[in-house]
Every structure is written in structure tokens, then in C-alpha cells.
């Protein structure tokens, strides 16, 4: 993908950012309103790394999604959005539109998943 991001993909990525951040904040608000208020005072790209979140393991899926989002936004700023983070192959527009925070091509994602879940196999 070129350094100039297609407007439709950029819009999709920003919409996904808003959606993921809003879902995270709603979940946190239900668990710890004080912490939610504290995090709202910080830049959104710092939320996922806040140490106090470790007290809420039920937020782990949201935290993972925020980290994926932060990585995609960082790639966008660096002009690397749309490249596999492992092999640097170009992801398709369809893959990115379906999941704007996608980090890996299909073969690398399969390899990553097998490594992540490999210890569960019998």
C-alpha cells in the first residue's frame, strides 16, 4: 500500500478506532467508573498500557483490541499501513476493509495462531 492511504480505508480505520475505544470505555465504566474517568484524561493511545487495568481481567479482550488498533494507527502514521507486520507482504483492500486493524497476511496469521495456541494441542 502506498504512503497515501485510500480515503475509504482511512475512514474505516478511524470508525473502527471510535468503535473500539467507545466499547472499551463503556465496559470499564461499568466496572470502575473512577478509573474510566482517569483514563479519559489521558491520550487514547495510552489506555491499553495503564497498569490499573490489570485488576480487571474481564477487560483483556478490549485491551487486546486497543493494542491492535494502536498498532494500526502507528503503521498509518509511518506509511506502513497495509503491510504484514511479519513478512511485509501487502494486505488486500478487502482484508483491511473487513478488519482495519489487521496486522498479518493469511499465512503469517495462521503461523501466529498456531504458535499462540500450540501449547493447547494434545
Amino acid at each position: 500500500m502506498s504512503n497515501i492511504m485510500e480515503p475509504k480505508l482511512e475512514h474505516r480505520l478511524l470508525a473502527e478506532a471510535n468503535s473500539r475505544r467507545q466499547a472499551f470505555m463503556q465496559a470499564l465504566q461499568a466496572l470502575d467508573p473512577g478509573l474510566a474517568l482517569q483514563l479519559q484524561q489521558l491520550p487514547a493511545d495510552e489506555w491499553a498500557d495503564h497498569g490499573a487495568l490489570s485488576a480487571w481481567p474481564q477487560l483483556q479482550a478490549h485491551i487486546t483490541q486497543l493494542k491492535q488498533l494502536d498498532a494500526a494507527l502507528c503503521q498509518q502514521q509511518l506509511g506502513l499501513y497495509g503491510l504484514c507486520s511479519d513478512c511485509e507482504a501487502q494486505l488486500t483492500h478487502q482484508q483491511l476493509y473487513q478488519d482495519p486493524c489487521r496486522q498479518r497476511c493469511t499465512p503469517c496469521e495462521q503461523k501466529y495462531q498456531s504458535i499462540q495456541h500450540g501449547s493447547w494441542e494434545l
Side-chain angles (χ1 to χ4, degrees):
M1 179 161 292
S2 70
N3 290 344
I4 300 172
M5 195 166 150
E6 181 182 308
K8 191 175 185 180
L9 284 177
E10 183 174 17
H11 177 61
R12 177 75 176 99
L13 177 60
L14 295 177
E16 186 69 18
N18 289 333
S19 175
R20 288 186 184 198
R21 288 173 176 160
Q22 184 177 26
F24 167 76
M25 203 46 79
Q26 287 174 344
L28 180 58
Q29 180 72 31
L31 295 169
D32 189 336
L35 182 56
L37 185 60
Q38 184 181 359
L39 286 184
Q40 286 176 339
Q41 305 305 312
L42 298 174
D45 64 345
E46 294 180 17
W47 293 355
D49 296 322
H50 197 283
L53 293 174
S54 62
W56 300 106
Q58 56 270 60
L59 291 174
Q60 191 56 49
H62 287 287
I63 292 167
T64 298
Q65 287 186 340
L66 287 179
K67 288 181 179 185
Q68 291 170 341
L69 170 65
D70 291 342
L73 291 170
C74 183
Q75 286 175 318
Q76 178 195 25
Q77 291 174 351
L78 295 172
L80 299 173
Y81 183 75
L83 298 178
C84 175
S85 62
D86 293 344
C87 73
E88 298 183 8
Q90 188 169 340
L91 304 176
T92 68
H93 286 228
Q94 182 181 2
Q95 289 171 321
L96 290 170
Y97 196 79
Q98 185 178 25
D99 179 4
C101 297
R102 185 179 179 128
Q103 294 294 301
R104 294 177 178 84
C105 64
T106 301
C108 288
E109 182 63 31
Q110 290 171 343
K111 186 176 176 181
Y112 175 79
Q113 290 298 324
S114 70
I115 291 169
Q116 291 293 328
H117 302 295
S119 62
W120 296 354
E121 294 178 22
L122 297 176

